[in-house]
Amino acid sequence: MAKLLYPPEATYLTVNEVAELFRVSTKTVRRWIADDRLHATRIGRGWRIARSDLSKLAEVRGNSVARYAM
């Protein structure tokens, strides 16, 4: 089993955690947010992404590894 980059009980993940999970840059994750491909909530100066939204993105992208980690 893969080592998770975040606690399994985490409801929201940061841009960095999402980038590591999908193996893309943080710039790509921010672009997904700006293009409304990924729903995110602004908290202070950072973004938080719900795990349920990540599962949907993983299905659309066909990313079985990220879907497994959800």
Side-chain angles (χ1 to χ4, degrees):
M1 186 167 146
K3 181 179 180 250
L4 296 178
L5 306 168
Y6 53 86
E9 67 277 355
T11 305
Y12 289 91
L13 293 119
T14 65
V15 169
N16 288 340
E17 291 168 336
V18 172
E20 289 180 23
L21 182 64
F22 281 88
R23 295 184 179 173
V24 296
S25 70
T26 56
K27 187 174 182 177
T28 299
V29 175
R30 287 189 175 93
R31 192 177 317 119
W32 290 342
I33 293 168
D35 294 343
D36 288 329
R37 285 191 250 165
L38 180 61
H39 179 73
T41 303
R42 184 92 184 198
I43 299 179
R45 294 180 65 193
W47 291 98
R48 297 294 184 270
I49 299 99
R51 288 178 71 139
S52 59
D53 293 325
L54 288 178
S55 296
K56 293 174 192 171
L57 181 66
E59 284 181 30
V60 170
R61 290 182 44 88
N63 190 328
S64 60
V65 174
R67 201 172 355 171
Y68 173 74
M70 294 286 103

